[in-house]
Amino acid sequence: MRIIAGLFTGSVCVRAVFRSPSLPYYPSRFQQESMMGEFDAIRPYDDAEVPAVLARLLSDPAFLDILTHFRFPRAAGALGWLLKPLIARRLRKEFAGVTCVSTLQDKVEYYVDQTIDRATDGVTYSGVEQLKAGTAYLFLANHRDIVMDPAFVNYAVYHAGLPTPRIAIGDNLLQKPFVSDMMRLNKSFIVHRSISGRREKLAAYQLLSAYINHSIRNDATSIWIAQAEGRAKDGDDRTDSAILKMFHMSRKDEPFGAVIQSLNLTPVSISYEYDPCDQAKARELYIRATTGTYKKAPGEDDNSIAKGITGYKGRVHINFAPPVTEYHEDTKQLAAEIDRQILGGYRLFPVHYLAYAMWEGKDEALQVPSAERVFPADELAKAKEEWQRRLDACPQEQRPYLVLQYATPVRNQYQVRQQAPVA
């Protein structure tokens, strides 16, 4: 069981498996019928499809090969021919009684909880109390980690006793069919980003828009999606207006502002004390700055996923801003408001202030206090030790980009504070 749980943790939006025991996910007959047909190419699997998908997964050579290497890294090469059928037999027995999404989630929930506990110093959240049972939300969040961002949002929603959202996942991460199957078993839906043709891309985003609107307005099921395509590797969390435009695409006969109001768009700030991928991000930023381009190595996304899940994050905080209720005429105006909410709701830890103090790009006009004035001595001493360790592990030429990642949120938040109207 630990084998499959580990892979679910490593390959899926983890806490898409978080589910309130009192509020299981059972699509109604209407919901199942309404999701069929138009959205088949992107929607999550429903309960009726679970047995067939599981059978397909447990017969997939690539899937079994990954499991074998995950569980027996040393023996997988020479003895893979023997281990793979044994693992498949064990998993078929383990999952024999699984006939719906909620039962599958129950199987892996305990192990996912363990993973989060081992990799953090605690998870806190704010604003979640304003979320109402029976209401679907469009959670628009900053994006720092491929898997753990939606996982921690689901963690907060789960602990509030509410159903977890459906998760948007880019098809660039679905290089193998079994990964797509695993994602869609866990309430994830597919965003087609790898399409190059203008007409095809337009059709894909039209479908995505229709699905998001359908999920919230017809299925009463929440959605999680990042505020921009790709992670904010420089720590600068900004909303891409194209994402906001996409929400409106399937309802162009209605005013933009009215469509947004109907979706209960809720800005979410996800704050990590430490980013397990910060060294890799610093390297990428350095290479981009010095060569003008960066090409990912094979398996790089997989490594980022694994490191993001298992790596040390320190404390994690998730803030839910109030749903956007004001009428916004266009995407630019709405993006500015979402940025204000996400940047203002970001929790700054001691490491952020330490990085800002040594950042060459800091804004001298901002009145940013020193870390010593904000945090107690014992907390600050611990942070200084960890920050120095990360600096020492980073090549000298790449350090400015490591500093940038942690310092930028400080600048952004204090700019928001400075621009806030005086009460």
Side-chain angles (χ1 to χ4, degrees), residues 384-422:
K384 285 181 176 180
E385 182 178 344
E386 176 63 22
W387 177 232
Q388 189 60 53
R389 187 188 70 77
R390 289 173 183 266
L391 287 170
D392 292 343
C394 188
Q396 183 71 36
E397 68 276 10
Q398 297 174 19
R399 286 182 190 175
Y401 301 97
L402 181 68
V403 171
L404 173 70
Q405 297 172 54
Y406 288 95
T408 301
V410 179
R411 180 203 64 191
N412 289 346
Q413 186 167 116
Y414 277 86
Q415 285 179 343
V416 168
R417 294 184 187 184
Q418 184 171 287
Q419 294 164 5
V422 178

Coordinates of all heavy atoms in Angstrom, one line a residue, residues 384-422:
K384 N 18.0 32.3 10.6 CA 19.4 32.6 10.1 C 20.2 31.4 9.8 O 20.9 31.4 8.8 CB 20.1 33.6 11.1 CG 19.5 35.0 11.1 CD 20.3 35.8 12.2 CE 19.8 37.3 12.1 NZ 20.5 38.1 13.1
E385 N 20.1 30.4 10.6 CA 20.9 29.2 10.4 C 20.5 28.5 9.1 O 21.3 28.1 8.3 CB 20.7 28.3 11.6 CG 21.6 27.0 11.6 CD 21.4 26.2 12.8 OE1 21.0 26.7 13.8 OE2 21.8 25.0 12.7
E386 N 19.2 28.4 9.0 CA 18.7 27.7 7.8 C 18.9 28.5 6.5 O 19.3 27.9 5.5 CB 17.1 27.4 7.9 CG 16.5 26.8 6.7 CD 17.0 25.4 6.4 OE1 17.5 24.7 7.3 OE2 16.8 25.0 5.2
W387 N 18.8 29.8 6.6 CA 19.0 30.7 5.4 C 20.5 30.6 5.0 O 20.8 30.5 3.8 CB 18.6 32.1 5.7 CG 18.9 33.1 4.7 CD1 19.5 34.3 4.8 CD2 18.5 33.0 3.3 NE1 19.6 35.0 3.6 CE2 18.9 34.2 2.6 CE3 17.8 32.1 2.5 CZ2 18.7 34.5 1.3 CZ3 17.5 32.4 1.2 CH2 18.0 33.5 0.6
Q388 N 21.4 30.6 6.0 CA 22.8 30.5 5.7 C 23.2 29.2 5.0 O 24.0 29.1 4.1 CB 23.7 30.7 6.9 CG 25.2 30.8 6.7 CD 25.5 32.0 5.8 OE1 25.0 33.2 6.0 NE2 26.2 31.8 4.7
R389 N 22.5 28.1 5.5 CA 22.7 26.8 4.9 C 22.3 26.8 3.4 O 23.0 26.2 2.6 CB 21.9 25.7 5.7 CG 22.2 24.3 5.3 CD 21.3 23.3 5.9 NE 19.9 23.5 5.4 CZ 19.5 23.0 4.2 NH1 20.4 22.3 3.4 NH2 18.3 23.1 3.8
R390 N 21.2 27.4 3.1 CA 20.8 27.5 1.7 C 21.7 28.4 0.9 O 21.9 28.0 -0.3 CB 19.3 28.0 1.7 CG 18.3 27.0 2.2 CD 16.9 27.5 2.3 NE 16.1 26.4 2.9 CZ 15.4 25.5 2.2 NH1 15.4 25.6 0.9 NH2 14.7 24.6 2.9
L391 N 22.2 29.5 1.4 CA 23.1 30.3 0.7 C 24.4 29.5 0.4 O 24.9 29.6 -0.7 CB 23.4 31.6 1.5 CG 22.3 32.6 1.6 CD1 22.7 33.7 2.6 CD2 22.1 33.2 0.2
D392 N 24.9 28.8 1.4 CA 26.1 28.1 1.2 C 26.0 27.0 0.2 O 27.0 26.6 -0.5 CB 26.6 27.4 2.6 CG 27.0 28.5 3.6 OD1 27.3 29.6 3.2 OD2 27.0 28.1 4.8
A393 N 24.8 26.4 0.0 CA 24.6 25.3 -0.9 C 24.4 25.8 -2.4 O 24.4 25.1 -3.3 CB 23.3 24.5 -0.5
C394 N 24.3 27.2 -2.5 CA 24.0 27.8 -3.8 C 25.3 28.3 -4.4 O 26.0 29.1 -3.7 CB 23.0 28.9 -3.6 SG 22.4 29.6 -5.2
P395 N 25.6 28.0 -5.6 CA 26.8 28.6 -6.3 C 26.8 30.1 -6.2 O 25.7 30.7 -6.3 CB 26.7 28.1 -7.7 CG 25.9 26.8 -7.6 CD 24.9 27.0 -6.5
Q396 N 27.9 30.7 -6.0 CA 28.0 32.1 -5.8 C 27.3 32.9 -6.9 O 26.6 33.9 -6.6 CB 29.5 32.5 -5.8 CG 29.8 34.0 -5.5 CD 29.5 34.4 -4.1 OE1 29.7 33.6 -3.2 NE2 28.9 35.6 -3.9
E397 N 27.5 32.5 -8.1 CA 26.9 33.3 -9.2 C 25.4 33.2 -9.3 O 24.7 34.0 -9.9 CB 27.5 32.9 -10.6 CG 27.1 31.5 -11.0 CD 28.0 30.4 -10.4 OE1 28.8 30.7 -9.5 OE2 27.9 29.3 -10.9
Q398 N 24.8 32.2 -8.6 CA 23.4 32.0 -8.7 C 22.7 32.5 -7.4 O 21.4 32.6 -7.4 CB 23.1 30.5 -8.8 CG 23.6 29.8 -10.0 CD 23.4 28.3 -10.1 OE1 22.6 27.8 -9.3 NE2 24.1 27.7 -11.0
R399 N 23.4 32.9 -6.4 CA 22.8 33.4 -5.2 C 21.9 34.6 -5.3 O 20.9 34.7 -4.6 CB 24.0 33.7 -4.2 CG 24.6 32.5 -3.6 CD 25.7 32.8 -2.6 NE 26.4 31.6 -2.2 CZ 27.5 31.6 -1.4 NH1 27.9 32.8 -0.8 NH2 28.1 30.5 -1.1
P400 N 22.2 35.6 -6.2 CA 21.3 36.7 -6.3 C 19.9 36.2 -6.7 O 18.9 36.9 -6.3 CB 21.9 37.5 -7.5 CG 23.4 37.2 -7.4 CD 23.4 35.8 -7.0
Y401 N 19.8 35.1 -7.4 CA 18.5 34.6 -7.8 C 17.8 33.8 -6.7 O 16.6 33.7 -6.7 CB 18.6 33.8 -9.1 CG 19.2 34.6 -10.2 CD1 20.6 34.6 -10.5 CD2 18.4 35.5 -11.0 CE1 21.2 35.3 -11.5 CE2 19.0 36.3 -12.0 CZ 20.3 36.2 -12.2 OH 20.9 37.0 -13.2
L402 N 18.6 33.3 -5.8 CA 18.0 32.6 -4.6 C 17.4 33.7 -3.7 O 16.3 33.6 -3.2 CB 19.1 31.8 -3.9 CG 18.6 31.1 -2.6 CD1 17.7 30.0 -2.9 CD2 19.8 30.6 -1.8
V403 N 18.2 34.8 -3.5 CA 17.8 35.9 -2.7 C 16.5 36.5 -3.3 O 15.5 36.9 -2.6 CB 18.9 37.0 -2.6 CG1 18.4 38.3 -2.0 CG2 20.1 36.5 -1.9
L404 N 16.5 36.7 -4.6 CA 15.3 37.3 -5.3 C 14.0 36.5 -5.0 O 13.0 37.2 -4.7 CB 15.6 37.2 -6.8 CG 14.4 37.6 -7.8 CD1 14.2 39.1 -7.7 CD2 14.7 37.1 -9.2
Q405 N 14.0 35.2 -4.9 CA 12.8 34.4 -4.7 C 12.2 34.8 -3.3 O 11.0 34.8 -3.2 CB 13.2 32.9 -4.7 CG 13.6 32.4 -6.1 CD 14.1 31.0 -6.0 OE1 13.4 30.1 -5.5 NE2 15.4 30.7 -6.4
Y406 N 13.0 34.9 -2.3 CA 12.5 35.2 -1.0 C 12.3 36.6 -0.7 O 11.5 37.0 0.2 CB 13.5 34.6 0.0 CG 13.5 33.1 0.1 CD1 14.4 32.3 -0.7 CD2 12.6 32.4 0.8 CE1 14.5 30.9 -0.7 CE2 12.6 31.0 0.9 CZ 13.5 30.3 0.1 OH 13.5 28.9 0.1
A407 N 13.0 37.5 -1.4 CA 12.9 39.0 -1.1 C 11.7 39.6 -1.8 O 11.1 40.5 -1.3 CB 14.2 39.7 -1.6
T408 N 11.3 39.1 -3.0 CA 10.3 39.7 -3.8 C 8.9 39.8 -3.1 O 8.3 40.8 -3.2 CB 10.1 39.0 -5.2 OG1 11.4 39.0 -5.9 CG2 9.0 39.6 -6.0
P409 N 8.5 38.7 -2.4 CA 7.2 38.8 -1.7 C 7.2 40.0 -0.6 O 6.1 40.5 -0.3 CB 7.1 37.5 -1.0 CG 7.9 36.5 -1.8 CD 9.1 37.4 -2.3
V410 N 8.4 40.3 0.0 CA 8.4 41.4 0.9 C 8.1 42.7 0.2 O 7.3 43.5 0.6 CB 9.8 41.5 1.6 CG1 9.8 42.6 2.6 CG2 10.1 40.2 2.3
R411 N 8.8 43.0 -0.9 CA 8.6 44.2 -1.6 C 7.1 44.3 -2.1 O 6.5 45.3 -1.9 CB 9.5 44.2 -2.9 CG 9.3 45.4 -3.8 CD 9.7 45.2 -5.2 NE 8.9 44.2 -5.8 CZ 9.2 43.6 -7.0 NH1 10.3 43.9 -7.6 NH2 8.4 42.7 -7.5
N412 N 6.6 43.2 -2.6 CA 5.2 43.2 -3.1 C 4.2 43.5 -2.0 O 3.3 44.3 -2.2 CB 4.9 41.8 -3.8 CG 5.6 41.6 -5.1 OD1 6.2 42.6 -5.6 ND2 5.6 40.4 -5.5
Q413 N 4.4 42.9 -0.9 CA 3.4 43.1 0.2 C 3.5 44.5 0.8 O 2.5 45.1 1.1 CB 3.6 42.1 1.3 CG 2.5 42.2 2.4 CD 2.5 41.0 3.3 OE1 2.7 41.2 4.5 NE2 2.2 39.8 2.8
Y414 N 4.7 45.0 0.9 CA 4.8 46.4 1.5 C 4.3 47.4 0.5 O 3.9 48.5 0.9 CB 6.2 46.6 2.0 CG 6.4 46.1 3.4 CD1 6.8 44.8 3.6 CD2 6.2 46.9 4.5 CE1 6.9 44.3 4.9 CE2 6.3 46.4 5.8 CZ 6.7 45.1 6.0 OH 6.8 44.6 7.3
Q415 N 4.5 47.1 -0.8 CA 3.9 48.0 -1.8 C 2.4 48.0 -1.7 O 1.7 49.1 -1.8 CB 4.3 47.6 -3.2 CG 5.7 48.0 -3.6 CD 6.1 47.5 -4.9 OE1 5.5 46.6 -5.5 NE2 7.2 48.0 -5.5
V416 N 1.8 46.9 -1.5 CA 0.3 46.8 -1.3 C -0.1 47.6 0.0 O -1.1 48.3 -0.1 CB -0.1 45.3 -1.2 CG1 -1.6 45.2 -0.7 CG2 0.0 44.6 -2.5
R417 N 0.7 47.4 1.0 CA 0.4 48.1 2.3 C 0.4 49.6 2.1 O -0.4 50.4 2.6 CB 1.3 47.7 3.4 CG 1.2 46.2 3.8 CD 2.1 46.0 5.0 NE 2.1 44.6 5.4 CZ 2.8 44.1 6.4 NH1 3.5 44.9 7.2 NH2 2.8 42.8 6.7
Q418 N 1.5 50.1 1.3 CA 1.7 51.5 1.1 C 0.6 52.1 0.3 O 0.2 53.3 0.5 CB 3.0 51.7 0.5 CG 3.4 53.2 0.3 CD 4.8 53.3 -0.2 OE1 5.8 53.2 0.6 NE2 5.0 53.7 -1.5
Q419 N 0.0 51.3 -0.6 CA -1.0 51.8 -1.5 C -2.4 51.7 -0.9 O -3.4 52.3 -1.5 CB -1.0 51.0 -2.8 CG 0.3 51.2 -3.7 CD 0.5 50.1 -4.7 OE1 -0.4 49.3 -4.9 NE2 1.6 50.2 -5.4
A420 N -2.5 51.0 0.2 CA -3.8 50.8 0.8 C -4.3 52.2 1.4 O -3.6 53.0 1.9 CB -3.8 49.8 2.0
P421 N -5.6 52.5 1.2 CA -6.2 53.7 1.7 C -6.1 53.8 3.2 O -6.3 52.8 3.9 CB -7.6 53.7 1.2 CG -7.9 52.3 0.9 CD -6.7 51.6 0.5
V422 N -5.9 55.0 3.7 CA -5.8 55.2 5.1 C -7.2 55.2 5.7 O -8.1 55.9 5.2 CB -5.1 56.5 5.5 CG1 -5.1 56.7 7.0 CG2 -3.7 56.5 4.9

